[in-house]
Amino acid sequence: MRFPLAFAAAQLCAGIAVAQEIPPSERRSGTNFMSAETQAIQADDGSNPGMLWVLQGGSLWDEPAGASRRSCASCHGEAATSMRGVAARYPAFDAASGASIDLAGKIDQCRMTRQHATSLPRESEELLGLTAYVGHQSRGMPIAPPDDARLDAARAEGKRLFQTRMGQLDLSCSSCHDANWRGRLGGSAVTQAHPTGYPIYRLEWQTIGSLQRRMRGCMVGVRAEPFAYGSAEFVALELYLAERAAGLAIETPAVRP
Amino acid sequence: MSVAKHKFRVGRRGLILVGGAGLLVLALPPARALTRPSLQEAVNGFTGGTPVETGKVKLDVPPLVENGNAVGVTVTVESPMTAGDHVRRIALFNEKNPQADVAVFTLGSRAGRARIATRIRLATSQTLIAVAELSDGSYWSSSANVIVTLAACIEDLS
Amino acid sequence: MSRTLVSVPKTARAGEVIDIRAMIAHPMETGYRMGPNGQAIPRKIIRHFACDYDGEEVFSAEFHPAMSANPFVAFSTVATKTGTLTFRWTDDDGKVETASAEIAVS
C-alpha cells in the first residue's frame, strides 16, 4: 500500500471543514477511476459478468408470475421501448404510498399489486436481475431526476444524511466523496460516488449488487450501523445522489473493483 | 510417523514422547495448507518431469491489479496450429494460492490460433506461470509477477 | 435457471479463425471461505467446460477454485461449415448446463 491507512484517514478528517459539492463540470463516473483492465471488462457485453443478470432479468420480464398469471411484458410490452429512460428518473414519487420509491422498490411493488405475486427480497437474484434489466434499457441516457416538488423534502433529507458524520470513524459520505474524491484510501481510488451503473457487478463481491448494498458497505467501513434495505433513509440518499449525478450517463450494468 | 515409532516403546518416557508428538501435530496449520505443491512441483505434475523450455509462450497479465478476485490473463503461444504442429494444452499455475492449479485448456489443431484468455483469482501478490504442451511433446513456459492491491474497506458478510 | 452468455460470430468464411467467448453465472465457491456463522462454505465449482462444433469437441478446459466467479473463457476455432456450436459446463456434482449458437459459413 502506498499510504498508511492512518495517514489517509487523517487527510480525510482534515478535509471535512472544507467539504463542498463537486461542481457539475468536474463530475465524473466511477468508471474514470478504474484501471484500463476493469474498464475493458465493463465495456464489452461479452465479457461483462453483469450481463448475466441482465439476461436473467430479461427472462423474468417475460415470465408470468403470481395469481394474475401476468408477466411484466403483459402490461409493459417490449422493455426496450417502455422502460427506456425509466431508471434515469428514479427514485420517483409514489402516489400509492405517498412517499418516494426507488427502482427496485417500484418493481417489487408492481409485482405485488399488479401481478399478485410474492414480494422479492432485496438483493435476491430475481430482484437484482429485473432491476439490472430495467436499468440496462437506459444505458447511455443522462441521469434526469424528476422535477417534482413532492420529492423535495426527501431529497433534502438525503443531502443532510450525506453530509452527516457517523460511525466510530466519524466520517460523512461527503468527507470522502466531496472533499477527497481525488485521493486514494489504501490502494483504492476514493471516487465521487455517483450512482451511474447500478446494480453493479463488483469484483470484491464477485456478484452483482444494489446501490444500497454498496452504501451499507461504506457505512460498515466507517463503523456505523447501516440503514436497513429499503429504508426511507436509503431512498432519501438515492434521491440526493441522483440529483448530485444529474447529467452523467447510465452505465448499467457497471463493473467496479 | 514419529508417533507410530514411539508407540512400540513401553517405558513412561516413550509415552511422554508420544504425547509431545501429538501436540506438535495439532499446532501445525491445516492439512490442506501443508499439501500445496510448490510452483515447480505443480509444473512437473503437468509435464510428467519433461524439461520445460523458456520461450514461445507469452503470458499477458497486468503487473498491478485492483482486485485479486478477477485478474485478466491472456496466453499466446507461437505455433502454426496445423495438424502436424500445434499446441495441445495450455496450463496455468500460481505460486501462493491455497492450490497451485488454476486451469488447463485443451486446444488442438482446430483452434486455428494458439491463444486463450480468462479471469482468475489471486489471493495475494505472487508469480504466475503458463505452460504450453506442443504436439511434438515439448513444453514451453513463461511466468509473470502480479501485485495485488487490497481493498481499503472490506464489507461484512451479513 | 441456467444463465450463460456466449458470443460467436453469426457468419464466417470457411477457414476463417473465429473468436469465441463463453461465460456462466456460477459462484465458483472455493471451499476456503467462511460464512457469517463461522462455518466453512462447502466447495462448489464448475470443473469442466467444453465446446463442440457440429458434434466434434474443438476446445475444453479443466477449472480449479482459482478460476474467478462467473468463469469466463475466450478462445478460437476454425470455421469449417454451417452448423451449431454447443457449450457444456459441468460442476462438482456432475450437473451439466448447456448453451448453443448457430454459425453460417460461406
Side-chain angles (χ1 to χ4, degrees):
Chain A
M1 264 182 232
R2 276 196 200 145
F3 305 108
L5 204 60
F7 174 68
Q11 275 198 315
L12 290 174
C13 294
I16 286 168
V18 291
Q20 299 219 324
E21 288 183 60
I22 301 165
S25 61
E26 287 187 40
R27 288 176 190 169
R28 284 158 60 198
S29 157
T31 300
N32 298 88
F33 296 83
M34 305 196 297
S35 71
E37 291 83 10
T38 313
Q39 289 182 14
I41 298 175
Q42 177 179 315
D44 176 2
D45 284 349
S47 82
N48 181 341
M51 289 305 292
L52 291 163
W53 279 264
V54 171
L55 282 176
Q56 185 194 20
S59 310
L60 290 171
W61 181 265
D62 293 324
E63 201 173 278
S68 73
R69 299 316 298 156
R70 277 187 298 195
S71 69
C72 306
S74 306
C75 297
H76 297 287
E78 286 287 326
T81 313
S82 64
M83 292 295 119
R84 179 107 181 113
V86 169
R89 300 194 292 268
Y90 268 77
F93 186 78
D94 173 46
S97 61
S100 46
I101 193 167
D102 67 341
L103 185 58
K106 183 67 187 179
I107 290 170
D108 197 43
Q109 182 197 63
C110 206
R111 216 181 121 78
M112 288 189 292
T113 60
R114 311 284 181 199
Q115 292 178 290
H116 306 293
T118 51
S119 170
L120 293 172
R122 291 272 171 168
E123 304 306 294
S124 63
E125 293 281 289
E126 292 85 352
L127 189 56
L128 287 169
L130 278 166
T131 311
Y133 182 65
V134 173
H136 183 62
Q137 307 308 322
S138 301
R139 188 162 68 169
M141 296 181 75
I143 292 175
D147 186 13
D148 186 337
R150 294 170 299 179
L151 295 168
D152 288 350
R155 203 174 268 146
E157 173 64 2
K159 181 175 182 175
R160 190 190 68 77
L161 288 169
F162 192 84
Q163 295 174 339
T164 301
R165 286 193 269 177
M166 56 181 80
Q168 288 179 320
L169 298 193
D170 203 28
L171 293 169
S172 68
C173 311
S174 177
S175 310
C176 293
H177 300 293
D178 283 335
N180 285 286
W181 59 266
R182 289 181 180 87
R184 297 184 79 86
L185 194 54
S188 310
V190 171
T191 81
Q192 297 180 355
H194 293 305
T196 47
Y198 285 90
I200 58 166
Y201 185 90
R202 196 156 182 241
L203 303 184
E204 184 194 317
W205 295 335
Q206 307 186 68
T207 189
I208 210 167
S210 71
L211 173 55
Q212 295 191 7
R213 178 175 179 184
R214 185 67 196 84
M215 289 194 280
R216 282 173 63 93
C218 248
M219 292 180 81
V220 170
V222 300
R223 315 288 186 268
E225 176 71 30
F227 300 133
Y229 279 114
S231 61
E233 287 92 342
F234 268 150
V235 178
L237 272 165
E238 286 194 37
L239 271 167
Y240 173 62
L241 285 174
E243 182 190 72
R244 194 172 163 269
L248 291 179
I250 288 182
E251 302 164 49
T252 306
V255 176
R256 294 290 182 265
Chain B
M1 291 294 265
S2 64
V3 175
K5 206 163 87 188
H6 291 305
K7 264 186 182 164
F8 295 103
R9 297 193 180 176
V10 285
R12 189 167 155 249
R13 207 172 178 183
L15 285 174
I16 291 166
L17 271 170
V18 170
L23 279 176
L24 251 184
V25 170
L26 284 176
L28 287 170
R32 61 187 175 208
L34 283 177
T35 54
R36 204 220 110 118
S38 71
L39 197 51
Q40 192 54 52
E41 285 165 344
V43 171
N44 283 343
F46 176 68
T47 63
T50 307
V52 180
E53 295 165 81
T54 306
K56 292 201 186 215
V57 179
K58 189 160 164 273
L59 171 59
D60 282 313
V61 55
L64 187 141
V65 298
E66 290 176 306
N67 192 299
N69 285 335
V71 181
V73 176
T74 303
V75 184
T76 316
V77 187
E78 283 171 36
S79 168
M81 294 306 275
T82 58
D85 183 1
H86 58 262
V87 177
R88 271 192 214 138
R89 296 190 296 164
I90 295 171
L92 279 173
F93 302 100
N94 69 78
E95 182 196 4
K96 289 181 179 168
N97 281 6
Q99 293 182 2
D101 301 286
V102 178
V104 180
F105 305 92
T106 304
L107 285 78
S109 61
R110 284 196 61 177
R113 188 190 296 134
R115 185 170 74 211
I116 60 97
T118 189
R119 292 197 283 259
I120 70 166
R121 290 171 169 144
L122 293 177
T124 183
S125 299
Q126 57 183 299
T127 300
L128 194 64
I129 190 166
V131 185
E133 179 193 54
L134 271 50
S135 52
D136 65 0
S138 64
Y139 291 90
W140 301 78
S141 80
S142 174
S143 60
N145 293 308
V146 185
I147 295 170
V148 179
T149 61
L150 298 175
C153 306
I154 300 293
E155 183 182 292
D156 69 334
L157 276 170
S158 58
Chain C
M1 183 188 296
S2 164
R3 278 178 292 155
T4 59
L5 182 56
V6 295
S7 48
V8 176
K10 285 189 170 62
T11 59
R13 292 184 317 278
E16 187 182 343
V17 179
I18 54 168
D19 288 311
I20 299 170
R21 283 167 302 166
M23 188 160 52
I24 183 167
H26 196 285
M28 294 294 279
E29 196 56 63
T30 61
Y32 292 103
R33 295 203 310 166
M34 269 185 206
N37 55 4
Q39 292 215 310
I41 306 171
R43 171 187 146 138
K44 190 173 172 74
I45 69 164
I46 299 278
R47 198 178 281 184
H48 190 259
F49 166 76
C51 172
D52 289 1
Y53 188 164
D54 251 9
E56 190 189 337
E57 188 169 293
V58 292
F59 181 85
S60 71
E62 195 188 302
F63 294 164
H64 294 273
M67 285 289 288
S68 294
N70 309 301
F72 166 84
V73 188
F75 56 99
S76 58
T77 194
V78 177
T80 51
K81 56 183 173 183
T82 297
T84 308
L85 284 106
T86 55
F87 302 84
R88 281 192 320 276
W89 292 264
T90 311
D91 76 2
D92 275 332
D93 303 330
K95 198 180 115 200
V96 180
E97 300 197 45
T98 58
S100 65
E102 305 295 324
I103 184 165
V105 177
S106 54

